[in-house]
Every structure is written in structure tokens, then in C-alpha cells.
Amino acid sequence: MSGRGKVPAIGIDLGTTYSCVSVWQHNNVEIIANDQGNRTTPSFVAFNDTERLVGDSAKNQAAYNPTNTIFDVKRLIGRRASDEIVQKDMKLWPFKVEAGSDDKPKILVTYKGEEKEFSAEEISSMVLAKMKRVAETFLGSDVEKAVITVPAHFNDSQRQSTKDAAKVAGLEVLRMINEPTAAAIAYALEKRACEMNVLVFDIGGGTFDVSVISIDREGHIQVKATGGDTHLGGEDFDNRMVKHFVEEIKRKHKEDISSNQRALGRLRVHCERAKRIVSTAVQTRIDIDCLVNGKDFSLKFTRAKFEEVNMDLFNKCMEPVEQCLRDANMNKDSIDEVVLVGGSTRIPKVQQLLQELFNGKSLCQNINPDEAVAHGAGILAAQLSGMGDEAVQGLELIDITPLSLGFKVKGDLMYVLIPRNSPIPTKKEDTFCTSFENQTVVNFDVYQGERDKASENYLLGRLELSGFPSAPRGEVKFNACFEIDADGILNVSAREITSGVNKTIKITHNGSLSKEEIEKMIEDAERYKFEDEAHLKKVMSHIALDNFVSKVQASLKKMGLNEKDLKDLDHQIAETIEWLDENPDAEEGELEDKKTELYNLCTQKKLSHEAKASLNSLFDSVNFER
Ligand code: AMP
């Protein structure tokens, strides 16, 4: 199958710190570089007095605009504001997050001089829309469909919110898959016709996943078990470094920067850079000018110190590996390959601990750890849209659900209907009855997690059944049905069966977006896109006039003008330059008028034939719209 003529679907790895997009082309997966030529794009969105920035441009100004530069939104999506993890993160983020209605976190920024609120879904949608645009520019056509990856350990609420974000970005989600599974697809296609058990160790900027996956000769990829931590990654290592330096600066230099967001932001950027360096070198220096009170700092940082401040976190990464092997009923020897995925697997200590755990086995780094997930998503996107060769079409994927699903029963106990590591899609039903005399309302509180005590797990939402006849305890019966689709998203329904009245109610998640909210966000996203485009046009027009003026200025002497005309034009050029400096927000029309004014003034002078021709071609070549 060639796929020619079909609208391509893309694969997006929506990462905590970086995102990556891919597409199937010329019988291969292509990782698409962004407008800066980078194959991964920072998952950053920034707001300032004039514009909204997404990606590299947002990250590049983060240190100077810390309170309005949003990152890490993947740590927030689908969580409640009161969530312990969110509360902890909020203390570290330079931007403001508050609890909104339904305990949903809202991100507060100042944009064009006004205070604005955004949900995590909206910020995520801006990153997704950026990745969509990157692909559209590359392909020269619109893109509407995508496979999007999520951490294997994401719960239902986090998955649903990610899907909502995609909708707001104008993307139809063909499938949502787990990140390590996507990496395994990339690996399986690389190792065509091999039968093996693979352990994917995936640690990026904010999340950590481990999956044990079996691949057979026919291209069947079966996830056997998965584990990890949705809140552990490179940013935690950066935070430890920041904490270390804040203390050192206090101790050695008697300066306290712990509440100086700008200084902390700059320090964080330098720490992340130094962290990457000590993955290859054994030591480096962090030089920061004017960090606080006009003081410059030159701080030594060694790999040993990096390991010391993070050792407990590195060790924490090894526990889920052993658990995952136990869940898959395998031992270390049955693993043929340990595949490294995610930027943080470049840390030598992480590699060393993992290698020791597997009794010295060498680790597989054949696939680029930054791109493996997007690579696999691109393959699946090709398959689901009917593209790709036989190997792609032959791939068959059986994924699993990472967390047990059930509801609360008497005594705050968790009644599990679908245990974790169950293959998906799946459907489970059970029958219940009323537990009180004359009960006319039944609530099913749906939880996800592994604790026996239901309230210690994550409350996904409540299902309320009412309107059935009152009867003695135990006489009214219900059927509850839990269904997980291929995206790993849960649908719960319940039916009262005793009176013959079938009543099915779909669960609404705590904090999940309503249809109206999504529609409003789509409208807002369109408005922001329009504003961004208008701003870009204005900037380009400004640059175009600036270019025109400087080119005319450069060719003045060659125009054969008399002294008076030369002086006149020189003066006019100086005025135009001044006007440009004073009017950075000039509208396109005004800029066009200024250009014509300067052109007319030139043509009124006595010009040589060649000068006229070159002026005309200059005038035509400087376009305001690009
Ligand atoms: P990912 O989400 O897979 O793009 O991984 C991003 C994370 O990997 C960030 O926290 C980076 O700081 C981290 N990272 C990237 N390269 C390196 C490296 N050479 N050494 C240590 N960490 C790295």
C-alpha cells in the first residue's frame, strides 16, 4: 500500500518538557523538524505584552518572563488543584496556579496587559496545535488526525483531559497510546521478524514508565505489564540541583534567592544545561551574570554532586522495574533487550543502576531516546490511516490498563472490576443490590488505583442512579458495566434491572470538560491563532519596511543625485527610521503608506535610469505579507 493521495495522519509525543511529531512518508517514519530546525519542540507557552509564544521562542525567553511562561503542564493535566503533587509543584513553578471551580487548576498569566486564566487542557492544546502546524508546514497540507502518546501510568482523568486538549487543537485522536508501547512499536519494526521480550525503560522530563512487552515474528506486540511514576523525571533532577545551589549561594555568598522567581528561573535553565554536560563530562561550571544584587556567580558542578543530590530518585526508578517483571511473570533472564527511551536515560548513573539490575546486560540504545515514542506513534498513525507497507499493516497491538478500576463499597473498600494490567479494550459487568431499606438513590463512586481503601485511590467520578421504586433492602438490583476503549479511556454505565426499567448513565469525570467548555476553548484557540497570525504579519511588515529603508539608504550614493536631493532623502530616511523605532506596533496599512511615501519622494527626484530601475525592483521585492 503506498498511501499516495491520502491525507496523512501524524504521531505526536506530547512530552512534559519536549514534544516531537512524526509522519509516515516514502515508506519510512519521518521525524519533522520545527521552524527552528529542531526535531523536538519545548512544551512551553509564553504570554507577553504583545504576543503569545509557543515552543522554542517561549522557552528562550523563560528566564526573563518567568511568571508568564508556562511549562510542565503535563504534570497538571487531569489532576485536581488540591492534589498533593500539584500543591508541591505549585511551590516550585514561577507561574501562578489556583484552584478553580470543581477544584480544577487554573493557570493565571498576564497577556497583553490583562490577567487571563487558562486550563491545563488549553495550554496543552496550544502545544499540540504548534506540533500540528509544524507537520502542516512540512507536508504542505492540512492535518486533522493524530496518534497521541501518554505516559503508561496516566489515569483515566489524565487521558480524557489529553484527548480534550487534542480536540481544542483541532485534532481528531485516531488513538491514544502509552509512551513505552509506542517505543516498542518503533523497536519492533526495526527488528522485523524477531521474537523477543523487551523491557522499555522510559524516563523523560516529567514522567517515568516501565513496560514489559513481548514481540513475536508476526508483528504482534503484546504489553505484559506496566508500571512507573507519573511524576518522576528530569525536572525533579533539575529541582534538586536548584535546591543545592540555592543553599550553596546562601551559605557561601550570603544571598538568599529562594523567593526570587527571576533568579530561580535563570538558575534552573543553567542547571538543566549543566546536568546534560555532566552526562558526558565529569565536571562543569555554571556561570551566571548578575544573578542577584548585581553579583555574578561561577559555580562548580560535578557528576558526583549530581549523583549525590539525586541518588534516592535514581534508586526510586529501579523499584518499578522489579515490580513490572513480577507482574509480567518474568525474571530478568527472560528479558532479551532493555530499551532506553527518554532524555533522562542519558544519565550515566541511571544506566549503571539499570545495567547492574540486569546483571551487567548491555542496554539497547539503537533508537534515538528522544524520538522513539514519536517514531512509534507515527507508525501507528500510518497503520490506522491505511498507509505504510506490509510490516506496518501487519502490526498488531495488545495494550493493557495500568491501574485497577472499581468502586467504593461499604467500609470504604475498593471493589475492583478491572484489575491493572488487563488487556484493553475490555468490558466487565457485575450485579449489585440496594443496601438500605427503601433506598431510592444509589451512588457509585468510581476509583482508580491499587489501594484496598477506596478513598486512598483516585476518585474518577460519581455515577448516580435514581428514580427506581422504593423496596426492602437488597431487592432492587443493578448492573454496573465498566468498559475501557483502545485509548485506555473508561466508560461506566449502570442499569436498574429489577423493575425492568433500564437506565444507563455515563459517568462524568471530576473536572473533565463539558461539551460547551470544549467548544468555547476551540473558539478561543481560533481567536488566539488569528491574533498570533495578525501579530506575525505586523512584525514581518515592520521588518520589510526596515529592510526597504536600509537598502534605499545603502544605494543613495549610487543614485546620481544632486547635493540638495541627497540631503532631502537622507533626512526623510532618518525620519522613517525614527518613526519605525517609535511605532513598533504600527499596523500593516500604516507601514505600507510609509513605504509608498518614501518611494514617491525618491521618484520625485532626478534619478539616473539605473537608479530608477533598481528602486522599482527594491520596492516590488519588499513584501509586507509573508
Ligand atoms: P524527553 O521528555 O524524553 O524529551 O526528555 C527530556 C528530559 O531529558 C529533560 O529533563 C532533559 O533535561 C533530559 N535530558 C536530555 N538530555 C539529557 C542528557 N544528556 N543528560 C541528562 N538529561 C538529559
Side-chain angles (χ1 to χ4, degrees), residues 17-18 204-205 234-235 272 275-276 279 342-344 346-347:
T17 45
Y18 288 89
E235 298 211 327
E272 202 256 350
K275 173 186 73 174
R276 289 175 187 247
S279 278
S344 297
R346 292 203 176 88
I347 296 169

